[in-house]
Amino acid sequence: MPFGRPGGHLINLLDLDAAGLAALFADLGEKPFRAKQVSHWVHQRLVGEIAAMTDLSRTLREKLAAVVAIGGPVVVSDTTAADGTRKWLLDVGGGNAVEMVYIPEDDRGTLCISSQAGCALDCAFCSTGKQGFNRNLTTAEIVGQLWHANRALLADGISVPWVDQGRAPITNVVLMGMGEPLANYDRVVSALRIFLDDNAYGLSRRRVTLSTSGLVPAIDRLREDCPVALAVSLHAGNDALRDRLVPINRKYPLAQLLAASLRYLDRAPRDFITFEYVMLDGVNDTTDHARELAVLVRDVPCKFNLIPWNPFPGAGFETSPRSRILSFQRTLVDAGFVTTIRKTRGEDIDAACGQLAGRVQDRTRRHIRIHGAPATTAAH
Ligand code: SAH
Ligand code: SF4
């Protein structure tokens, strides 16, 4: 069964959150605890087939196999960089492929996952955006990324302390791969619920971070539905500049975005918002820009993460020189903001932020989406 595309009438178990599994087992006339048992098999023991669920009776396994299956990713390529960063390219059908990246660190294993094939929001400096938008990923395609990375790392005999203690290799998930997660709201929230569910991956809300370019109404919905840690892609301290870099700003300008960020904080698992800020040479990286930014966000408890821009062909931008990134950081720190500079990982395999290109067959007229219909209803 291909990734996210159940063969025939079969339901992909990777598509179902706890409520979905409960409904399935109710339909089958089975006891509710069976749903939890199956969830453990799929997401914790990471099995790939119903037959492996050995504490279910043979009759129940046969009954299940007639209606469900486990459809993990189809891997097109799997590359490991010199620094241990590993990138998988996953086929999602129709000539499209998305990427996910594993970033090993001493005290954690982070997986950067994709939420859409392409992106309709067309940020000026982003390689995914430049490729256009094809479609939203299904919940199974989003969850399947975590499921597959854990399986692959275990199969390769990963040796880190928490795995030796029986935990999964991936301890942190960031939705910072291809796509705008809040433009694929329902599927992303279902996937988040599976990440957090104690009967599935059991990650704490602080260990799951969603990065958004600023879809204000969806930030408010997320605050109600599933408030994980939030990163907001700011990239500019005034509307004129942000309109150019992040076109969705024309619809949800900075004042609205900052107000939504502040509202989010009363439900957020951390007491600050992370503002991401990509450093573009001569565009948004002067000390004046930093001062303007500090004034703009003064009322929002936040931290800054400066991202040295990662080049891709034909982008028309340059990365800020290191000295300028350091002065920008110094200005923000002097103004009282915790400010980190993102380490660039996996450069030799194009696995760094915003270099995730995948393969996108664009079939949309994305400019109309941004200015016309809400981006959150982008094509399915
Ligand atoms: N769509 C979401 C999440 C995916 S992009 C968002 O925009 O937040 C994750 C982060 O990488 C964002 O902050 C984005 O602005 C940044 N990014 C995009 N292209 C980049 C590039 N070429 N170099 C560095 N960062 C980039
Ligand atoms: Fe989409 Fe984020 Fe890239 Fe903007 S930066 S085009 S929102 S993926």
Side-chain angles (χ1 to χ4, degrees), residues 119 121 123 125-128 175-181 211-214 231-235 276-278 307-312 342 353-355:
C119 184
L121 299 188
C123 298
F125 51 84
C126 173
S127 150
T128 303
L175 280 104
M176 294 186 184
M178 296 172 67
E180 166 51 52
S211 172
T212 180
S213 57
V232 172
S233 294
L234 216 50
H235 308 321
E276 295 161 284
Y277 195 98
V278 67
I307 315 176
W309 180 72
N310 292 306
F312 58 90
R342 190 173 294 177
C353 272
Q355 285 181 323

Side-chain angles (χ1 to χ4, degrees), residues 168-355:
I170 303 295
T171 59
N172 293 56
V173 172
V174 296
L175 280 104
M176 294 186 184
M178 296 172 67
E180 166 51 52
L182 293 184
N184 183 13
Y185 188 85
D186 291 340
R187 283 108 172 235
V188 164
V189 166
S190 253
L192 292 175
R193 292 199 168 117
I194 297 170
F195 297 161
L196 304 185
D197 184 355
D198 283 337
N199 293 307
Y201 298 92
L203 298 177
S204 79
R205 293 193 290 134
R206 324 162 55 87
R207 287 179 177 273
V208 178
T209 303
L210 183 146
S211 172
T212 180
S213 57
L215 301 188
V216 167
I219 293 175
D220 284 325
R221 283 181 74 194
L222 189 70
R223 170 177 170 273
E224 297 297 328
D225 293 341
C226 196
V228 294
L230 188 68
V232 172
S233 294
L234 216 50
H235 308 321
N238 66 70
D239 281 318
L241 182 55
R242 195 162 190 272
D243 281 352
R244 268 208 293 135
L245 298 177
V246 184
I248 196 68
N249 193 67
R250 297 172 206 159
K251 194 160 177 185
Y252 305 116
L254 280 167
Q256 287 184 35
L257 179 56
L258 295 178
S261 302
L262 201 52
R263 285 193 292 277
Y264 193 86
L265 276 173
D266 49 75
R267 298 287 310 280
R270 296 178 184 273
D271 53 10
F272 60 89
I273 298 287
T274 301
F275 287 128
E276 295 161 284
Y277 195 98
V278 67
M279 301 298 297
L280 301 165
D281 184 20
V283 175
N284 66 351
D285 63 347
T286 64
T287 318
D288 282 348
H289 286 123
R291 284 199 203 98
E292 176 185 51
L293 193 58
V295 172
L296 179 78
V297 304
R298 66 180 178 263
D299 296 330
V300 185
C302 64
K303 291 185 182 174
F304 281 98
N305 190 217
L306 306 180
I307 315 176
W309 180 72
N310 292 306
F312 58 90
F317 291 99
E318 298 292 334
T319 310
S320 304
R322 190 77 191 167
S323 59
R324 194 134 6 99
I325 300 179
L326 290 171
S327 349
F328 198 93
Q329 178 188 37
R330 170 63 34 218
T331 308
L332 289 176
V333 168
D334 288 349
F337 297 97
V338 173
T339 306
T340 50
I341 300 173
R342 190 173 294 177
K343 263 190 283 173
T344 297
R345 300 287 305 258
E347 259 176 315
D348 48 331
I349 57 167
D350 284 354
C353 272
Q355 285 181 323

Side-chain angles (χ1 to χ4, degrees), residues 22-40:
L24 172 75
F25 280 81
D27 280 354
L28 292 172
E30 294 291 337
K31 298 217 169 57
F33 80 92
R34 295 287 181 203
K36 294 189 179 140
Q37 219 175 346
V38 165
S39 182
H40 292 166

Side-chain angles (χ1 to χ4, degrees), residues 73-97:
V74 173
V75 177
V76 180
S77 66
D78 172 353
T79 325
T80 303
D83 65 4
T85 302
R86 181 167 172 184
K87 178 171 88 169
W88 290 267
L89 184 64
L90 310 173
D91 185 357
V92 293
N96 295 293

